[in-house]
Amino acid sequence: MPGDTPDRQIPLHGLSIAVVGGNRSTYYAAYWLRLMGYKFDDQSSDAAIVITAGAVDREKANDHPDASALIRLWDFQVGQAGTGIHASAVAGVSSTIGYPDGPGEPLPADMPEKWCAGYGVILALAEAWRRKSEGGGPRSVYDLSAADVMRTFSLQNAGDEAEIARRWRRNGRICVEHGGIFPMGFYACRDGYVAILGRSRRDWRNIRAAIGDPAWARLPKFEDPFMLARDSAEADRLLEETLSAFDRDDLLDRGLAAEAVIAPVYTQDEAGARGIFREGLLGPNGPAMPFLATPISRRRKKTSERRPAIQHAGMPLSGFRCVELCWVWSGPMVGQILADLGAEVIKVEAPGRFDLYRTRGLEHLRGKMHEKTRIESSIYFHSLNRNKLGLSLNLKAPTALLATCDLISQSDLVIENFTVGTMERLGLGPDVLGEANPSLVSLSMSGPGRGSSVEALRSYGLVLSALGGAESKICDESGFLGSPTFSISDPNAAVFATMAALAGALRARGTGTGSAIDISQIEAAATLAGTPVPEATRHETVLETADGAYVAVSVPLKAFKSLAATRAALCALDKAAVRAECLRVGGEMVELVELDVSDASPAFADYSGWVPSSHPYTGEEMLVAAPWRIAGARPATRKPAPLLGESNDYVLRQILELDEEMISALEKHDGETAA
C-alpha cells in the first residue's frame, strides 16, 4: 500500500460547513462529519454551507439567507411532521418486514434518519467541492427527507409494477418466491440464524456442498433453484432441518471453504469477538467510520496534461472526473450519486464481462431476445447508470491497462467493488495508481474489506448486513425477523462510500495528497446499526387498529406510561380515532403504504419519485429519481445510461489522444473478449 498508516478519518480543513440542530437527521449529520474528521469552529453561524432541520411552520423557519448553500433535512417528509418510523411506513420498507398477517415492522436504530443525514453530508461536501473549484457559486437550496431516501432505495431494487405487486411484501424471514431463485432469506440453525443466498445454479451447488450435500438436495426435484423458488415450502423445511445440525460459526467456515453465500446473523458484539471487523472499528463510544484511508505520499514520475472533464453549468461537481470499475448495485450507486451532482463518471466494462445489472430482470430472456438488445434493456441498469459515459476495454490486455492507467491519471477518483486483490492482479493496485496520480482518490468497496478475517467471503447484500449486526436488530415481539426483501447493505455502503470519496477528493484538492480508501460493506452496516441513538423522546410503533388498518404512530413519552400502554390504548381504536388521538397528544400517524401504490400516497403527492428519460433501445421510460430536491425539483436526467462502449471515441481520442494504431489494437482486444 502507498503512503502512511491507514486511518479511519480523513482530515477536512478549510471547509465552511455548519449543522444547525433541531431533529434526528441533523444530529446524525453533525455526528457523521465529526466521525469522519471534520472539526466545527466557533464561527459556524457565518458558514457558507448550512445543514439545518426542515421546518413545517414556514413562519418559524430560518433559511439562513447568508449561506450560499442550504440543505434542509426532514426526518419524515418535506413539509410534513413525523419521524423515521413514518418514513419506514410509507416508503416500501415496513411493507416488507414482518409476516403476511401482521402490521409490518419499521427499521430500528434511527436508520432512516441516519441515511437522510448521510445524504445531507454528501450534498454539503459536493457544495464544498464547488467552492474550492470555482471559488463560489450560486445559492443552492436543497430539501432531503428520510421518506424520499428510503423510497429511492426500495424502488431501485423492486423491479417493475407487476414484480413489485407480486414480490415486494411481507413474508417472514424468507423473500417472496426467494426473489426468483432459491434460496434467499434467513434460516434457523442450531444456535441462531444464518443468511443464505443463491443467485445462480452454481451458488445452489456450493450451498449444498457447504452443508454436506444432503441426500434430499440431490433429488431431481431439488436441482433447479429457479423452479424451487416458485414453490419452496418443502425445500425450505428440509434446508432448515439440515441446518439444525450446525452452529453459526461452523456454517461460516463451511461457507467460506465451499465458496457458498452463507453468513451468520451476529450481533455487533458477537461479530467483534470473532474478528469479523478490522482493527479500530469498535470503540467505547460506538463504531468508527467503516473505511481505512491511507494517504498517498508518492511523487509523480512524469507529468501529463489533464484534459478537463465535461462541464455541467450550475452543478456542484461540474469538472469532477470519476472512473467507475464497478458492477451490480453498491459501487454503481456511488457513481450514480456523483453523476447526478454533475460529475463526469466514466463507466468501464469489458465486452465479455459487462455489469451484470445490464440483464437484471431479463435473465429469463436469454436466447429469446437478441443479446445486444437484452444487455441494453434493463430498467435496473438504466436507473443506476444514468448520466454516465460508457467505455469498453478488455482490462486483461496490456494496451487496455495502459489506457486505463492514463485515464485514471487524469481523474479525481477511481471506484471499484471487486473482490480483494482483483485490482492488483489486473496491474492497477494502489502503488501503480498512486505513482500515476498522487492526488488520486482510489476507493475500494469489497464486501468484507481488505484485511478482514472473512476477506474471501462471496458477498451479497444480505450476508453483509447479517455479519455487520444490522439484521439482528430487526425483530418483532416473537423474536428475530431480519429484512430479507428490503436490502440494507448495498445502498448503505454507497452512502458511506460517497461521503468518504468526496472527503478524500476535498483533501486532495486542498493539499495535493491523494488517498487509497478501503471501505468494508460489513463495517458500513455495523456503523449504521451501532452508532448510538439519542435518548428516546417518543413512543413509536406500527400497529393494527380496531378496524384492521396498519398505521405507524409516534407520540410524546408523556402521552402514555409506556410503549405497551401506547399500543394497548391505540389498538382499541379505529383508524380515524387513532389519528385524532395522536393529534390530541402532539403526535403523528400515517397509514402503512404498499410500495406498488406509493405513488398515490399523500406522503409523495407533491413530488414524484420518478424522472423521465429516453433510451435508444427502450424508448421513453421513467427512472428512479435522486432523493434530493434542489429549488423544489428533482435533478433532471441529462443522458440515459450508456450503451456498452458508447463513449469510446470521446475517451480514447479526446481525453487520451490515442493514435489510430493504438485504438485499433484496443478494439481488436475488445472483439476477442466479446467473442
Side-chain angles (χ1 to χ4, degrees):
M1 292 287 289
D4 305 317
T5 304
D7 196 351
R8 289 191 178 270
Q9 291 190 325
I10 300 173
L12 293 169
H13 303 298
L15 307 185
S16 182
I17 301 173
V19 179
V20 181
N23 63 14
R24 294 278 172 130
S25 296
T26 54
Y27 168 84
Y28 291 115
Y31 191 96
W32 295 146
L33 282 165
R34 289 192 185 96
L35 199 64
M36 197 156 44
Y38 184 70
K39 291 180 171 56
F40 293 95
D41 60 34
D42 295 331
Q43 306 301 319
S44 59
S45 59
D46 299 324
I49 301 165
V50 175
I51 302 174
T52 188
V56 175
D57 186 346
R58 295 301 302 152
E59 292 184 0
K60 297 181 180 179
N62 181 355
D63 285 339
H64 302 272
D66 294 331
S68 58
L70 179 67
I71 302 161
R72 295 187 292 233
L73 304 185
W74 303 80
D75 285 350
F76 172 39
Q77 183 56 291
V78 177
Q80 300 181 42
T83 71
I85 194 171
H86 302 114
S88 283
V90 302
V93 181
S94 293
S95 64
T96 68
I97 302 175
Y99 294 97
D101 57 350
E105 295 293 329
L107 286 174
D110 282 354
M111 290 182 188
E113 293 95 333
K114 289 173 180 176
W115 282 325
C116 184
Y119 267 101
V121 170
I122 288 168
L123 295 175
L125 296 178
E127 286 292 338
W129 172 272
R130 186 210 301 261
R131 279 145 189 80
K132 278 190 174 290
S133 301
E134 302 175 4
R139 175 174 164 87
S140 302
V141 178
Y142 298 89
D143 283 290
L144 184 65
S145 76
D148 284 338
V149 168
M150 290 201 298
R151 187 165 181 252
T152 295
F153 292 175
S154 295
L155 291 172
Q156 180 59 62
N157 195 39
D160 60 23
E161 187 174 343
E163 188 172 358
I164 293 172
R166 188 172 78 254
R167 293 179 178 167
W168 198 264
R169 49 190 171 85
R170 298 181 292 288
N171 196 50
R173 297 190 302 270
I174 304 295
C175 289
V176 174
E177 297 179 4
H178 291 268
I181 179 169
F182 182 87
M184 185 173 180
F186 299 102
Y187 290 85
C189 63
R190 187 160 57 197
D191 65 340
Y193 294 89
V194 289
I196 303 183
L197 275 82
R199 298 292 85 194
S200 67
R201 288 180 172 83
R202 174 199 173 197
D203 285 342
W204 178 223
R205 288 194 299 270
N206 291 354
I207 290 166
R208 288 157 49 186
I211 60 175
D213 199 18
W216 66 265
R218 297 195 298 271
L219 296 175
K221 66 178 179 178
F222 296 115
E223 284 185 355
D224 187 340
F226 292 92
M227 296 300 295
L228 275 179
R230 300 177 187 177
D231 183 9
S232 67
E234 184 180 9
D236 286 329
R237 177 181 59 80
L238 291 169
L239 178 56
E240 204 152 76
E241 286 179 4
T242 302
L243 293 171
S244 67
F246 304 99
D247 61 29
R248 291 173 297 165
D249 293 347
D250 189 20
L251 286 167
L252 177 59
D253 291 340
R254 286 171 165 269
L256 288 169
E259 297 185 355
V261 187
I262 301 175
V265 176
Y266 286 145
T267 65
Q268 188 168 288
D269 287 344
E270 287 175 330
R274 288 161 172 80
I276 300 298
F277 308 132
R278 298 170 298 181
E279 184 178 355
L281 178 74
L282 299 182
N285 299 316
M289 275 291 175
F291 57 74
L292 295 173
T294 306
I296 294 174
S297 59
R298 295 184 182 276
R299 295 185 179 276
R300 191 193 301 264
K301 286 187 175 180
K302 61 178 181 178
T303 301
S304 59
E305 182 182 353
R306 170 171 170 161
R307 305 300 170 191
I310 295 173
Q311 302 289 314
H312 298 291
M315 305 197 76
L317 293 184
S318 179
F320 185 103
R321 177 175 290 145
C322 167
V323 177
E324 180 193 300
L325 300 167
C326 298
W327 54 358
V328 190
W329 189 356
S330 60
M333 185 174 168
V334 177
Q336 177 203 53
I337 295 170
L338 298 175
D340 283 347
L341 289 167
E344 179 188 83
V345 177
I346 302 171
K347 185 178 184 71
V348 182
E349 301 172 87
R353 192 170 172 77
F354 46 76
D355 187 342
L356 294 177
Y357 250 46
R358 283 188 174 274
T359 57
R360 171 81 190 273
L362 306 173
E363 296 89 347
H364 63 292
L365 294 177
R366 185 170 186 173
K368 301 176 183 178
M369 175 188 285
H370 190 281
E371 189 62 6
K372 178 60 178 173
T373 301
R374 191 174 76 100
I375 68 173
E376 301 294 358
S377 298
S378 171
I379 193 69
Y380 295 93
F381 182 85
H382 292 177
S383 282
L384 268 179
N385 294 282
R386 59 170 177 256
N387 296 328
K388 300 178 186 178
L389 307 178
L391 175 63
S392 172
L393 287 176
N394 173 14
L395 294 183
K396 293 184 178 180
T399 51
L401 280 175
L402 286 173
T404 303
C405 200
D406 191 6
L407 177 62
I408 291 171
S409 75
Q410 300 187 49
S411 301
D412 300 290
L413 171 69
V414 60
I415 319 168
E416 54 89 5
N417 64 345
F418 301 137
T419 55
V420 174
T422 299
M423 290 290 279
E424 286 83 353
R425 289 192 293 273
L426 288 172
L428 295 172
D431 286 317
V432 174
L433 298 182
E435 193 165 290
N437 182 358
S439 61
L440 175 75
V441 176
S442 174
L443 178 68
S444 175
M445 294 181 64
S446 71
R450 183 183 296 272
S452 168
S453 64
V454 291
E455 187 179 278
L457 179 75
R458 294 196 65 222
S459 301
Y460 293 132
L462 207 60
V463 302
L464 303 175
S465 50
L467 284 169
E471 299 291 348
S472 68
K473 289 181 173 289
I474 302 174
C475 304
D476 67 1
E477 294 176 347
S478 65
F480 171 72
L481 267 176
S483 176
T485 300
F486 177 81
S487 178
I488 292 173
S489 180
D490 286 270
N492 177 64
V495 170
F496 279 104
T498 308
M499 286 193 282
L502 288 174
L506 284 165
R507 176 167 69 174
R509 176 54 63 100
T511 66
T513 300
S515 305
I517 302 173
D518 191 283
I519 189 166
S520 161
Q521 297 189 44
I522 294 174
E523 292 178 358
T527 300
L528 173 76
T531 290
V533 173
E535 185 177 354
T537 60
R538 304 174 79 80
H539 295 306
E540 297 190 324
T541 186
V542 179
L543 54 85
E544 183 176 2
T545 64
D547 54 347
Y550 297 142
V551 298
V553 299
S554 175
V555 297
L557 290 180
K558 64 182 180 181
F560 298 95
K561 290 183 178 180
S562 64
L563 180 60
T566 305
R567 291 181 59 86
L570 298 182
C571 284
L573 305 176
D574 63 24
K575 181 177 68 174
V578 171
R579 186 185 304 277
E581 180 65 7
C582 286
L583 290 173
R584 186 187 70 79
V585 300
E588 301 87 25
M589 182 210 89
V590 299
E591 196 164 0
L592 186 141
V593 178
E594 301 293 338
L595 185 62
D596 60 318
V597 295
S598 60
D599 280 344
S601 167
F604 305 105
D606 58 342
Y607 285 99
S608 171
W610 307 91
V611 288
S613 181
S614 180
H615 191 274
Y617 277 78
T618 53
E620 301 301 314
E621 58 189 7
M622 300 298 288
L623 305 180
V624 181
W628 63 86
R629 312 171 191 190
I630 180 165
R634 302 282 192 192
T637 300
R638 299 188 306 277
K639 69 175 294 296
L643 305 180
L644 188 61
E646 72 168 24
S647 306
N648 281 21
D649 187 74
Y650 165 69
V651 175
L652 301 180
R653 287 186 168 86
Q654 296 186 45
I655 297 179
L656 302 183
E657 297 184 322
L658 300 182
D659 59 32
E660 294 305 315
E661 182 179 354
M662 176 66 82
I663 292 173
S664 295
L666 290 171
E667 290 174 345
K668 177 183 177 182
H669 289 304
D670 275 3
E672 291 170 353
T673 304

